[in-house]
Structures are given as C-alpha cells and as structure tokens.
Amino acid sequence: MISSKLGRSKTTIYYHVRKNLGRRNLPLKFEFAPNADLGEFLGAFASDGNFQSDEKSHHYRVTIVLSEDQTRYAEVLADKMEKVLGERPRVWPYPRQHTVRITIHGREILDFLKRFLFWTGNKTHTIAFRRKSLNLGDAFRLGMIRGLIAGDGSVNLKNARVEFAVTSKRLAKQYAEVLKLYGIGSHWHSSKKRVRRAPLHSVTVRGTRDLRALKARIGLTDPLRSNLLDKILERR
C-alpha cells in the first residue's frame, strides 16, 4: 500500500493528490491547434458553459448545459472535446431539469480556456473571445459559430430565421462580425434593460440568401438545429 510505504495515512495522501491534481490522476493533454473542434468547444462553453472550483475540496469542473432535445448534439460535442482535451467528458441527462450536461474535471482547464476567452465578474454578461482568437483561421472561426449557435442560438421555423441572443454585448458583436466576414448578413437588436436582468443582445439571420449562406459556409453540427434550418430552406 502507498500509505504504508510513505508512512502517511490514506486521508493525507488523498488530500495532497486532490490539492495538486483535482479529481484526476493524470493531467489533460490539450490540443492547441486552432481547428474547428477547438473553436466549437470554446463557442459552446462561451454560450452555455461554466467552470466550478472549490479550493477546499479541490474540485475543478467544466460543465456545458444543453437542452434535453440536444442529446444527440451532446455526444457530438463530447467527441470534439475529447480531441481537444485528450479525454472524453461524461454526458449526463437531467430529465427533471429538461437538460443534458457535459462534464469533465481538471484544474488546468481554466488556464486553457483563458488563452482564448476572457471574462470578468459574471461570466454570462462579460464573456468574449480574445481578439487574437478571432485571427486563428477559417476552421476555428467556423467551429466557433457552430458552437455559439448550438449554445445560445435557435432556429425559428415559424418565422424562418436563425437567432442568437446573449447578455454579453461584446460576444454578440463578435458573432455578427464573423458572420459578415463570410458574407452573411444579420440584424441586431438590443432589448431595453429588463427588471433585475441584463439587456439581451440578439443577432438574427433571415432571408433566403443569408440562410442559404449560413448553411453552405458555416454548416450546423447540432442535428436539431440543422434539421430545422433544412426545413426552412425546403420552403424557399
């Protein structure tokens, strides 16, 4: 036994392992190449992700929360995260909350995320991509848009539009800028300050030309949103 060889109790050894590695035995092996998988993971995290840490218990966890009708996409995203992080995250259904969650543990993930993203205080209201991240090439930017749409985007079948809405004004602007870069027009709307809630900034793609361009130049990896977009275009 390790404890007997070191002359330390199991509790002491466990404490120091958790302190230095969190809930892990080996460090994650990150893939820093600016590819589509990295862009999509970061886009999904910027939209629907959070990093939780507890210095006392040494728990460090990244969670991305999706709606329950995105179970298929959760598996797609988990595959991409495995390529980026070197380990496959777990996918957990939460029927009572009508969600599906992707989780992975690792203290070092936060530093990795902040190489490409930044936020202060409330992540939801302030998160954005670092300017240099937006210059990492086409594959990265396309993945980024796919992840953002899968997270805070929606495809409105009735009104024939793809909507993206967040409280981070800078993130919404970056989304619109990247769409413009690929020749996709969009419409901006900011709600007035809501009671006890931050203003919501929406970027909408509508019209046959722009919707077709979104499908052809960006492409959606979320099966749910991709199928809805196809249904819209079939009517055109």
Side-chain angles (χ1 to χ4, degrees), residues 145-164:
I145 295 298
R146 293 169 192 147
L148 290 173
I149 291 176
D152 280 321
S154 62
V155 180
N156 189 318
L157 187 60
K158 180 179 178 180
N159 296 316
R161 60 183 60 184
V162 174
E163 301 166 329
F164 176 72

Side-chain angles (χ1 to χ4, degrees), residues 50-69:
N50 64 75
F51 181 86
Q52 296 176 317
S53 63
D54 186 331
E55 295 295 334
K56 291 185 178 180
S57 62
H58 312 296
H59 287 191
Y60 306 94
R61 181 178 66 197
V62 165
T63 302
I64 296 176
V65 183
L66 303 170
S67 63
E68 64 181 349
D69 55 6

Side-chain angles (χ1 to χ4, degrees), residues 2-210:
I2 295 176
S3 59
S4 60
K5 289 182 179 180
L6 296 178
R8 296 288 188 274
S9 69
K10 293 181 181 179
T11 302
T12 300
I13 293 172
Y14 182 67
Y15 169 81
H16 285 288
V17 169
R18 292 287 293 274
K19 178 179 180 181
N20 290 288
L21 297 177
R23 296 185 62 182
R24 304 189 49 76
N25 294 318
L26 295 172
L28 293 167
K29 296 180 180 179
F30 298 110
E31 173 56 67
F32 287 92
N35 54 37
D37 292 331
L38 174 60
E40 188 160 347
F41 162 52
L42 294 171
F45 176 82
S47 289
D48 280 334
N50 64 75
F51 181 86
Q52 296 176 317
S53 63
D54 186 331
E55 295 295 334
K56 291 185 178 180
S57 62
H58 312 296
H59 287 191
Y60 306 94
R61 181 178 66 197
V62 165
T63 302
I64 296 176
V65 183
L66 303 170
S67 63
E68 64 181 349
D69 55 6
Q70 290 180 287
T71 300
R72 289 173 59 197
Y73 177 68
E75 296 293 344
V76 171
L77 183 58
D79 288 341
K80 295 177 183 295
M81 289 173 64
E82 181 177 11
K83 294 176 183 177
V84 173
L85 303 175
E87 181 176 309
R88 184 176 175 80
R90 293 189 176 186
V91 177
W92 301 95
Y94 282 76
R96 291 186 178 182
Q97 288 79 35
H98 304 291
T99 63
V100 56
R101 303 183 186 187
I102 306 170
T103 62
I104 188 166
H105 294 85
R107 184 176 188 176
E108 61 272 45
I109 301 178
L110 182 61
D111 290 337
F112 178 76
L113 290 169
K114 289 197 170 183
R115 290 173 65 103
F116 306 96
L117 302 164
F118 71 89
W119 64 89
T120 57
N122 188 311
K123 168 192 167 291
T124 302
H125 303 332
T126 62
I127 194 165
F129 281 80
R130 295 187 182 277
R131 178 54 58 181
K132 63 181 181 181
S133 298
L134 299 180
N135 297 321
L136 290 177
D138 290 326
F140 179 89
R141 286 189 293 263
L142 296 177
M144 162 191 157
I145 295 298
R146 293 169 192 147
L148 290 173
I149 291 176
D152 280 321
S154 62
V155 180
N156 189 318
L157 187 60
K158 180 179 178 180
N159 296 316
R161 60 183 60 184
V162 174
E163 301 166 329
F164 176 72
V166 289
T167 55
S168 170
K169 187 175 183 179
R170 187 161 187 173
L171 183 62
K173 285 186 174 181
Q174 290 177 337
Y175 174 83
E177 288 173 2
V178 175
L179 290 182
K180 184 178 180 180
L181 181 65
Y182 293 102
I184 302 169
S186 62
H187 303 266
W188 177 280
H189 174 74
S190 291
S191 67
K192 295 181 179 179
K193 190 171 183 179
R194 300 171 294 170
V195 178
R196 298 183 181 179
R197 302 181 69 182
L200 190 66
H201 309 287
S202 303
V203 181
T204 301
V205 177
R206 59 178 186 253
T208 302
R209 189 197 72 84
D210 289 320

